[in-house]
Amino acid sequence: MTVRGDFEEPARRRPDLVIGREELFTAARERLVAGGSVLLHGPAGIGKSTVLRTLTAQYAGTARTVLRCSATESESHLPFLALADLLGLVVDQVSGRLPAAQRTALESALTGRGESTLQRDGLALRLAVLSTLRALAAEGPVLIVADDLQWLDSASAELLGFAARRLGDTPVQLLCAARTEGQDYDRHLRALPPDSLTVRLSPLSRAQVSELLDHRGYPGLPRSTVRDIHRTSGGNPLFALELGRALAENPTPPRPGEPLHVPTSLRALVLNRLEMLSDEARRTLLVASAGARPTLTLLHAAGRDNAEAETAQAAELGLLATESEGPAVRFAHPLISAALYAEAPAQERRAAHAALSTAASDPIERARHLALASSGTDPEVAARLAEAAALARDRGAPSVAASLGLLAARHTPADGVPGADERRLQAAADAITAGEVDLARDIAHEVLGRATVPAERVRAWMVVIESAGHALGDVDAVFPQALADAGEDPGLLALVHYQLAWRGLVVEGNFAEGREEAAHAAQLAARAGERRTELLALAFQAQAETLMGHPDAPATIKRALKEPQDPQVACHHNGPGLARFRWLLMSDQLAEARRTVTALLREVRRRGMVESEVHFLRLLAETELRSGHCGRALELARESLRLARDSGIGEVAGALLTSFAEAAGGDVDRALALAREAVEHAEVDGDQMYVSRALAALGHAQLVAGDAEGTVRSLRRVRELESGLGITDPARGRWHGDLAEALVRIGEVAEARDLIEVTREHALRLGRESVLAVVERAEALARAAHGEHEAAVGQLTSVQDRLGKIGYGLEEARAAFALAALRTSRPGPTSYDEAARLFRRCRALPWLRQVEAAVVTPPPAEAAVVPGPTLDALDGLASMERQVAALVMEGATNREIAARLFISVKTVEATLTRVYRKLGIRSRVDIVRLTAGRRTT
């Protein structure tokens, strides 16, 4: 595909930002830092120039001389033009150091006055370029930046390659970009040193395209539109931006089922080749572009008798893929298909769809083509489209069902039954199932703009509320309007009170209020015979009661699981199946919980329920995490988070669960970043429930990172929030053991003991065996801190055994780790063998690193049973360590210490770590105690 050299990017452009290229950008930069050269390559518009500019901006400052050139296709026939761009401004600096023959040849080539050629002055000119670069490098490093290497004139390319192959250790580096198709980049490497790194830029993902559009001034596009842009652009950034610009300039969306409007700027990329096709071949390709899965058989059935020859002609022109396997007819790039369709007259497009409406074998495809071949309202066409939408729904393709439903509404007459708005609302429900909440919200607002029927208005309000996700505070004004429209109808009131239950939980942070609203909704739905709403309300009530530790929870779960069941509600992420799973998980029935959530995940995938898939992936990850399968949990959590970000659903929940998984089996810094992101987003949404859960994730990550004080700050807030929410079941957040352990580490043993006793009381009442074992592990650490060494060892031994029996592998390993630190006064490699074995079995990499550190440096737990350090111990510290310790004694924060000593905060933290190790203490609290001559606790 040819791209014009003067192709314009969107006018509302912001500074360059490398999106979706983090890994390759890092690899390229590392090669440059190491003194190497880099070749970026990939197809037109893939973002090579952006990466090149960003790398240059970041790295050019390390070079004394930066030489640049950017070739164009129209000037590629001019010899030595690129060489003149590179050396024209610097040759005077070094020409005096060149031999006369080299200087004359180079000046002739750069000025054109001597008609220099490679044939006549070949050796002298080659040596002149090499000598010039060496002379420049003698004064400092040289960086050569060359964009669009494929358009370099052949003479300049030959000279640059000659020099590059002979530079050796001379500090001259090349950073180049070249347009390539496939892996065809070898010829461009001839212009670079032999050990250059090649980096191929691949298409962006849908989420990355969305981020790019936001960054370049096209924010807020519906996700369904972003999906279409991504599909049509093939993930090509430049094409995606042009499509985004076209939408911004012409906001009227395409008809349902039709491709995106392709702007003239992009059509021009392929139209020159389309003009080389015969009229009949072009019509054949138009039919192929209108079809969902075109094949030669389909084209024949649609009346294209010479399809083989005509598609072969298109393949020769590069319009169709030549390496296609199987019967499919595949365009070389999705943009070709979209541009071809956009360029065709409306009459020819309708004719293509009419032919396919009888040729296609799939009833869904036949109905879609019939709609696109028709104009105006037609009850028969509308009925066929509604039937096709139902079939797509049953096949697990809710996105297709939504599109067909909108087409059905469009063809429904004003007096049709069902009516157009009823079909639109069904399409909105399908869009929500597919995760396209933006589309659903737009449909609902369209219906509300004209509907007068109460049932339709209330259903539309429910779509608006549901599409808000956890940001229910943003739609607070909707509830009174929905209640007013519902009137005295118990079925409609049940829908509104079910959503009010969520509002009570999310916005008000009140489980009791949410439970009461859900119970009321269930009663109203039962009176109206609305079983679907009743099941959802009962499931909500059951989950609220479970988390509250309410005694009615088991009975409510049984009511929610009674027949008759609604098949879609049964596997919904807010349905009875989830209520049962949550009960199993909190009751330590991990194997049954895993079977339950796996079956739910399988069913929602079959049905195409994207939002439910996001949630069940995360819940399966949580189950694996509790079981100690940290590697598997991390894979599932990352997959769930990717899907959440791609669909815009459950991002906070996905981030906080992935934080837990990263802290257990991945990267602790990543865990901290994800947890902080989750806290920030939950606070912006005003979601009290998820604020507490996100803070619990942050506190856990801080504990794994060794920041006990940070853990205490975060988890104290969780304790306060959950108290306000009315949550008493400690199995909900499972943060209690972490907080108690962190409190012991910072010397707040009394508070730790109080927390342990309160948690133990609730855990005993509810039968939460794993919670009991975890808080007793923290209790053993508190005992050790008070010198009760033997009692602590005995309690930890019992805790490890109990956790192993109920299948909590990671918690078992943590107990073994704590036990190893207490069992001997001189810990060594062998004393940690059991803990290391258990952590390896779990693939708990961050914890394994802690074991390795403990083997090298005995843990501070030993200080709990021996006399603590005195002020005299400070004499053994280095000068900087004594100054930092003295300021800590005065009560200075790390930031204040850094300012007073003119060092960084990180240096303060590192210095304090050495102080703790040398004094055998745990925290800055122990340093303060030295001023009173007290022993550590």
Side-chain angles (χ1 to χ4, degrees):
M1 193 182 305
T2 302
V3 176
R4 301 196 315 274
D6 59 349
F7 194 91
E8 296 179 358
E9 292 197 40
R12 291 177 294 172
R13 179 187 173 122
R14 302 184 193 175
D16 286 339
L17 174 69
V18 177
I19 292 173
R21 312 295 192 195
E22 291 78 8
E23 290 186 11
L24 64 85
F25 184 86
T26 300
R29 193 174 188 285
E30 287 177 352
R31 178 58 64 94
L32 291 170
V33 170
S37 297
V38 175
L39 171 66
L40 307 168
H41 70 99
I46 202 65
K48 302 178 297 297
S49 296
T50 297
V51 176
L52 185 79
R53 285 193 297 267
T54 308
L55 279 170
T56 302
Q58 289 195 10
Y59 185 71
T62 64
R64 185 183 185 278
T65 304
V66 179
L67 309 176
R68 304 171 190 260
C69 72
S70 183
T72 62
E73 183 177 12
S74 61
E75 298 171 339
S76 60
H77 65 287
L78 300 174
F80 306 122
L81 182 62
L83 187 68
D85 288 341
L86 289 171
L87 302 181
L89 297 178
V90 298
V91 68
D92 290 343
Q93 301 174 23
V94 297
S95 60
R97 285 174 268 173
L98 301 182
Q102 293 181 24
R103 183 169 61 252
T104 300
L106 184 58
E107 288 176 352
S108 296
L110 296 181
T111 62
R113 288 196 295 267
E115 297 185 357
S116 178
T117 65
L118 279 178
Q119 288 72 24
R120 192 182 70 185
D121 302 318
L123 181 58
L125 195 51
R126 287 175 171 85
L127 292 175
V129 173
L130 178 59
S131 299
T132 299
L133 293 176
R134 283 174 173 166
L136 290 170
E139 299 173 3
V142 176
L143 176 65
I144 298 174
V145 181
D147 199 1
D148 282 320
L149 203 61
Q150 75 278 0
W151 302 135
L152 244 65
D153 62 275
S154 58
S156 296
E158 168 61 27
L159 292 170
L160 192 59
F162 176 88
R165 291 189 295 273
R166 289 162 177 80
L167 286 169
D169 295 332
T170 306
V172 177
Q173 296 171 263
L174 279 78
L175 174 57
C176 304
R179 182 182 305 170
T180 59
E181 297 295 337
Q183 296 296 320
D184 178 26
Y185 58 84
D186 290 348
R187 61 191 178 91
H188 300 303
L189 283 174
R190 291 196 290 269
L192 281 83
D195 60 346
S196 297
L197 173 69
T198 59
V199 177
R200 177 169 178 78
L201 277 68
S202 301
L204 299 180
S205 68
R206 189 195 304 182
Q208 290 162 351
V209 165
S210 178
E211 183 182 357
L212 177 68
L213 291 166
D214 287 348
H215 175 69
R216 291 295 183 87
Y218 309 121
L221 292 173
R223 292 185 181 275
S224 56
T225 301
V226 174
R227 177 200 62 199
D228 292 341
I229 290 175
H230 177 257
R231 182 177 62 239
T232 304
S233 68
N236 184 296
L238 188 57
F239 300 167
L241 289 169
E242 281 297 295
L243 291 166
R245 179 169 70 173
L247 283 169
E249 294 173 351
N250 181 22
T252 303
R255 293 169 57 186
E258 284 190 348
L260 286 177
H261 171 72
V262 179
T264 304
S265 57
L266 290 183
R267 294 188 208 180
L269 303 182
V270 294
L271 290 182
N272 59 338
R273 278 178 285 170
L274 288 175
E275 292 171 357
M276 300 172 67
L277 289 172
S278 66
D279 290 343
E280 289 302 312
R282 186 165 177 164
R283 291 192 184 97
T284 294
L285 286 196
L286 176 60
V287 174
S289 71
R293 293 173 296 277
T295 63
L296 288 173
T297 301
L298 178 66
L299 294 176
H300 280 299
R304 309 312 303 166
D305 297 334
N306 296 318
E308 285 90 348
E310 289 159 355
T311 54
Q313 181 189 2
E316 290 177 1
L317 294 171
L319 295 167
L320 296 179
T322 56
E323 73 281 3
S324 177
E325 296 180 0
V329 174
R330 187 165 63 84
F331 285 89
H333 192 281
L335 183 64
I336 298 174
S337 173
L340 174 64
Y341 187 92
E343 187 68 15
Q347 184 177 354
E348 288 188 15
R349 283 187 284 185
R350 284 197 295 270
H353 287 298
L356 289 168
S357 69
T358 57
S361 59
D362 186 86
I364 293 176
E365 278 300 292
R366 288 200 300 272
R368 183 178 75 87
H369 289 302
L370 178 62
L372 295 174
S374 308
S375 59
T377 60
D378 187 323
E380 182 179 347
V381 172
R384 285 185 58 182
L385 285 163
E387 290 170 3
L391 181 58
R393 198 176 304 121
D394 291 341
R395 288 182 182 178
S399 180
V400 175
S403 177
L404 291 168
L406 289 175
L407 282 171
R410 189 168 177 270
H411 288 277
T412 299
D415 58 350
V417 179
D421 282 341
E422 187 173 346
R423 283 175 167 154
R424 287 188 181 92
L425 289 169
Q426 178 58 62
D430 289 327
I432 286 179
T433 300
E436 298 177 3
V437 293
D438 295 326
L439 174 61
R441 182 172 53 247
D442 291 344
I443 295 171
H445 283 301
E446 181 185 353
V447 171
L448 287 166
R450 59 170 172 266
T452 58
V453 178
E456 291 179 351
R457 290 188 62 79
V458 171
R459 285 179 62 194
W461 287 126
M462 294 305 98
V463 171
V464 172
I465 293 170
E466 195 164 350
S467 63
H470 282 264
L472 288 178
D474 295 345
V475 292
D476 243 359
V478 167
F479 290 97
Q481 299 177 70
L483 284 169
D485 283 331
E488 300 297 323
D489 187 312
L492 298 180
L493 285 170
L495 288 171
V496 182
H497 281 282
Y498 172 68
Q499 294 295 347
L500 282 169
W502 280 105
R503 183 190 177 281
L505 179 61
V506 172
V507 179
E508 300 298 333
N510 191 322
F511 268 80
E513 179 182 333
R515 173 183 176 271
E516 291 172 6
E517 288 284 4
H520 185 41
Q523 292 170 358
L524 288 167
R527 184 163 29 128
E530 296 287 349
R531 182 61 173 164
R532 184 180 189 279
T533 307
E534 182 187 10
L535 289 170
L536 286 169
L538 285 171
F540 181 101
Q541 182 183 344
Q543 287 199 71
E545 290 173 348
T546 298
L547 296 172
M548 293 169 65
H550 197 285
D552 290 349
T556 307
I557 291 173
K558 287 181 180 179
R559 287 175 60 201
L561 291 170
K562 278 184 179 179
E563 296 294 339
Q565 287 288 319
D566 180 294
Q568 188 161 3
V569 173
C571 63
H572 192 272
H573 61 277
N574 287 323
L578 177 68
R580 179 173 181 270
F581 162 79
R582 182 61 67 189
W583 175 264
L584 290 168
L585 191 66
M586 293 175 68
S587 302
D588 299 327
Q589 300 178 57
L590 297 181
E592 184 61 25
R594 182 185 295 106
R595 284 191 290 271
T596 299
V597 74
T598 300
L600 289 168
L601 179 60
R602 187 185 308 117
E603 180 64 13
V604 299
R605 280 176 165 167
R606 186 185 72 80
R607 291 176 174 271
M609 299 168 66
V610 174
E611 184 172 6
S612 293
E613 180 182 359
V614 170
H615 288 287
F616 289 139
L617 267 173
R618 188 184 72 251
L619 294 172
L620 180 56
E622 183 180 351
T623 308
E624 298 294 1
L625 194 57
R626 296 207 184 175
S627 303
H629 305 151
C630 300
R632 174 65 174 152
L634 185 57
E635 292 173 3
L636 289 165
R638 286 173 175 172
E639 182 183 355
S640 174
L641 183 58
R642 281 195 299 270
L643 185 57
R645 286 181 168 162
D646 192 31
S647 62
I649 295 170
E651 293 182 73
V652 172
L656 71 88
L657 192 278
T658 307
S659 172
F660 276 116
E662 291 282 358
D667 181 85
V668 179
D669 289 338
R670 175 75 172 149
L672 289 165
L674 284 167
R676 291 187 177 109
E677 172 192 326
V679 171
E680 179 182 352
H681 287 177
E683 287 178 336
V684 169
D685 289 343
D687 188 338
Q688 299 302 305
M689 181 175 63
Y690 272 105
V691 168
S692 70
R693 295 185 64 184
L695 283 167
L698 177 58
H700 179 74
Q702 289 168 323
L703 184 71
V704 179
D707 180 9
E709 292 177 334
T711 299
V712 170
R713 284 194 301 272
S714 297
L715 297 186
R716 276 176 175 162
R717 280 191 64 195
V718 175
R719 188 179 189 183
E720 179 182 348
L721 284 168
E722 290 206 352
S723 176
L725 287 165
I727 297 173
T728 60
D729 192 333
R732 184 256 185 179
R734 306 183 65 84
W735 48 266
H736 311 72
D738 285 347
L739 177 53
E741 182 176 333
L743 286 167
V744 172
R745 287 189 188 183
I746 68 170
E748 299 292 344
V749 180
E751 184 182 345
R753 288 186 180 277
D754 174 69
L755 171 64
I756 289 166
E757 288 306 314
V758 172
T759 306
R760 194 199 319 270
E761 179 183 347
H762 291 302
L764 284 169
R765 174 174 61 85
L766 297 167
R768 304 302 191 226
E769 175 59 27
S770 63
V771 174
L772 280 170
V774 168
V775 296
E776 287 178 16
R777 182 181 65 208
E779 185 177 39
L781 298 176
R783 286 183 170 182
H786 271 294
E788 303 172 35
H789 186 271
E790 293 303 323
V793 168
Q795 189 169 24
L796 279 173
T797 303
S798 172
V799 164
Q800 181 184 340
D801 181 62
R802 286 156 56 197
L803 287 168
K805 285 180 179 177
I806 60 177
Y808 278 72
L810 181 57
E811 301 293 359
E812 176 192 5
R814 287 179 62 179
F817 186 27
L819 187 57
L822 295 180
R823 271 185 163 158
T824 174
S825 61
R826 293 184 178 276
T830 58
S831 64
Y832 288 98
D833 282 352
E834 174 71 358
R837 181 185 69 80
L838 292 174
F839 282 134
R840 282 195 202 95
R841 185 182 69 182
C842 296
R843 288 178 59 189
L845 301 182
W847 291 99
L848 267 174
R849 286 190 280 273
Q850 290 195 32
V851 172
E852 292 166 358
V855 169
V856 176
T857 305
E862 189 174 326
V865 296
V866 298
T870 65
L871 283 170
D872 293 339
L874 296 179
D875 294 337
L877 300 178
S879 174
M880 177 62 73
E881 293 166 351
R882 284 198 304 275
Q883 292 181 66
V884 170
L887 290 172
V888 169
M889 290 178 181
E890 294 176 13
T893 66
N894 287 2
R895 190 172 297 280
E896 290 168 344
I897 294 170
R900 290 171 66 176
L901 297 181
F902 301 100
I903 58 177
S904 69
V905 174
K906 286 190 174 182
T907 301
V908 174
E909 293 168 351
T911 304
L912 280 174
T913 300
R914 293 195 298 273
V915 170
Y916 299 157
R917 184 171 63 247
K918 289 182 179 181
L919 298 182
I921 59 178
R922 296 168 181 265
S923 69
R924 59 192 299 127
V925 174
D926 295 323
I927 296 179
V928 173
R929 285 175 177 153
L930 294 181
T931 60
R934 297 168 59 185
R935 60 180 281 135
T936 58
T937 57

